[in-house]
Amino acid sequence: MFALVDVNNFYVSCQRVFEPRLEGKPVVVLSNNDGCAVSRSNEVKALGIAMAKPWHQMREVAEQHGIIAYSSNYALYADMSNRVMSILRRFSPDQEIYSIDECFLGLDAIGRDHTELGMEIRQTVQKWTGLPVCIGIAPTKTLAKLCNHLAKKHSRFAGVCEWAKLDQATQQRVMQEVTIGEIWGVGRRLSVKLNEDGIFTVADLMKADPETIRMRYSVVLQRTVMELRGQPCIDLEDVAPDKQQILCSRSFGQLVYSEHELAEAVSTYVARAAEKLRRQQSAAGALAVFIRTNPNREKDPQYSKHVLVPLSQPSDDTLQLTKAALWVLKRIYKPGYAYAKAGVMLLELQPNTGIQGHLFLESADPIKRANLNETMDKINRQWGRGTLRLASAGFNHGWKMRQNNLSPCWTTKWADLPVAGG
Ligand SMILES: [Mg+2]
């Protein structure tokens, strides 16, 4: 038996925890560079504003209805996510963190009534973090997802929907009402194809012959059919697999022309990627850098280049990786273009054990270097990202993301700590 716990309108809800005045008001959180809506409060959804709607297109509606917009505050969301996940861990030893605001729990080892347990989870998360969650409970992960969808949609479930507690007539009706686009793992493109084959609802897909589905579509969709019929095919993944590649890329807040500024951005991205690399105790065997102009500015001359270089030794050293990345940048940079985005990717990741002893490492003493990186990570963890950085990462950062409506980092910065009373 599985439970899927999902925070409602996660980013918006995080903002509301620290600013209760936002309760009941239409609120959106915008993507990087304040581009489009990535989280919407129910009030905003009710206004018919779709996910990923560009902010500049909803300015007018926003003014009319007093929509309050925030820049994404990932430091806040990541911290709130950790709090929710550690609370959920108390309720079941079997936990799979599926995304920043979603988590599967295995309930097989838990003897009590599952709906009651769900209610208690919900109340605890609400009380301890201030965040509202909905919970779907079912014999398969796919059905648990579906139940979560129902719990969100229908207030009569009071936030917890358990498949086994629905009578058969209700189960049937739900299957006929919910469209396949809502099913876990069925994306938009697949929906279109299924529609062409006359499959529109969950009920249609359940009735389809699994073997035919496998041949016509994929073994993955066949599993989905089995799961909808109540046969578990997808198990919990207890340990999130280590990333096979690490990408750090951003669109710039303003166009960038000089190599110097691109180098600042690339250095900053390498530092972030290398930090992630060390956190999962990997080393990179190759590194790629890309830079590009904005293809939407059709009148501008366009340029885009992506170059991958193998490293002579796998490395997790910020200094070495930065050196390699800037070497690549020097070769791909062309003056005269308005650059809109750059990125760094670390590839051919491998465990970093045993690579420190190489005799001919070109860098300084590898042990000293490892200590330096470790110290840098510690300082940056405690004092905030980028507190200690290479000079090549620069100071001005005119290229940084636009975040005009960024809220304070209430839970991760001492200076932003909220003050109660008065
Ligand atoms: Mg959610």
Side-chain angles (χ1 to χ4, degrees), residues 72-100:
S72 309
N73 184 341
Y74 288 111
L76 173 67
Y77 310 147
D79 184 62
M80 294 303 280
S81 171
N82 284 336
R83 290 172 192 225
V84 172
M85 297 307 168
S86 63
I87 293 170
L88 297 177
R89 205 166 304 138
R90 303 165 76 104
F91 287 94
S92 169
D94 303 318
Q95 179 184 40
E96 176 190 340
I97 296 173
Y98 184 68
S99 73
I100 192 165

Side-chain angles (χ1 to χ4, degrees), residues 127-199:
K127 205 163 162 189
W128 293 5
T129 67
L131 292 171
V133 299
C134 278
I135 304 176
I137 299 167
T140 70
K141 285 168 93 176
T142 306
L143 282 173
K145 271 273 201 184
L146 183 66
C147 286
N148 193 287
H149 169 75
L150 297 175
K152 284 228 174 74
K153 233 174 149 197
H154 304 288
S155 55
R156 69 188 153 96
F157 290 116
V160 181
C161 172
E162 183 177 352
W163 187 244
K165 296 268 168 78
L166 304 177
D167 59 52
Q168 240 175 355
T170 311
Q171 287 186 357
Q172 296 274 332
R173 207 186 54 236
V174 164
M175 297 286 200
Q176 276 156 13
E177 278 173 9
V178 178
T179 54
I180 43 169
E182 302 293 344
I183 300 174
W184 189 34
V186 179
R188 198 173 306 162
R189 216 179 305 159
L190 188 53
S191 294
V192 172
K193 205 169 161 210
L194 284 163
N195 287 168
E196 282 167 7
D197 285 346
I199 297 172

Side-chain angles (χ1 to χ4, degrees), residues 5-11 99 101-102 148 152:
V5 187
D6 184 324
V7 183
N8 306 347
N9 314 330
F10 181 55
Y11 298 168
S99 73
D101 73 326
E102 272 176 275
N148 193 287
K152 284 228 174 74

Side-chain angles (χ1 to χ4, degrees), residues 75 268 271-272 275 279 375-390 397 400 409 411-416:
T268 305
R272 197 165 303 168
E275 209 180 295
R279 203 180 309 143
T375 308
M376 196 154 68
D377 289 345
K378 266 191 200 153
I379 289 174
N380 287 334
R381 248 196 318 272
Q382 180 159 0
W383 298 99
R385 183 178 283 161
T387 301
L388 190 61
R389 57 178 182 263
L390 300 188
H397 294 187
K400 266 216 165 145
C409 295
T411 61
T412 52
K413 259 194 209 158
W414 286 112
D416 289 352

Side-chain angles (χ1 to χ4, degrees), residues 218-252:
S218 66
V219 70
V220 178
L221 193 62
Q222 180 192 29
R223 253 187 272 159
T224 303
V225 175
M226 304 308 288
E227 285 237 324
L228 286 173
R229 294 180 178 188
Q231 255 184 56
C233 302
I234 309 170
D235 216 350
L236 280 189
E237 284 181 37
D238 310 335
V239 185
D242 275 345
K243 292 214 169 76
Q244 289 309 300
Q245 50 194 38
I246 294 174
L247 169 73
C248 185
S249 78
R250 297 267 185 286
S251 296
F252 301 136

Side-chain angles (χ1 to χ4, degrees), residues 236-366:
L236 280 189
E237 284 181 37
D238 310 335
V239 185
D242 275 345
K243 292 214 169 76
Q244 289 309 300
Q245 50 194 38
I246 294 174
L247 169 73
C248 185
S249 78
R250 297 267 185 286
S251 296
F252 301 136
Q254 62 190 48
L255 294 170
V256 165
Y257 297 87
S258 72
E259 186 189 346
H260 172 74
E261 277 192 294
L262 281 176
E264 279 188 8
V266 165
S267 297
T268 305
Y269 302 161
V270 172
R272 197 165 303 168
E275 209 180 295
K276 283 188 190 164
L277 188 70
R278 290 190 290 271
R279 203 180 309 143
Q280 70 169 40
Q281 297 180 329
S282 301
L287 166 150
V289 177
F290 75 85
I291 50 177
R292 68 162 173 76
T293 51
N294 180 353
N296 296 323
R297 291 169 60 101
E298 284 161 13
K299 284 186 199 132
D300 285 5
Q302 295 292 324
Y303 175 67
S304 164
K305 192 84 183 167
H306 180 126
V307 167
L308 186 150
V309 289
L311 301 170
S312 53
Q313 302 281 0
S315 174
D316 67 351
D317 175 18
T318 298
L319 274 76
Q320 249 186 352
L321 294 168
T322 305
K323 212 164 145 191
L326 294 180
W327 184 88
V328 175
L329 178 67
K330 208 166 203 58
R331 271 141 197 91
I332 60 177
Y333 171 75
K334 275 196 196 168
Y337 292 95
Y339 293 95
K341 189 171 186 174
V344 171
M345 195 186 263
L346 302 178
L347 309 99
E348 291 174 26
L349 305 192
Q350 45 205 283
N352 72 352
T353 45
I355 54 161
Q356 289 176 355
H358 284 295
L359 261 179
F360 302 110
L361 258 185
E362 49 183 305
S363 79
D365 182 342

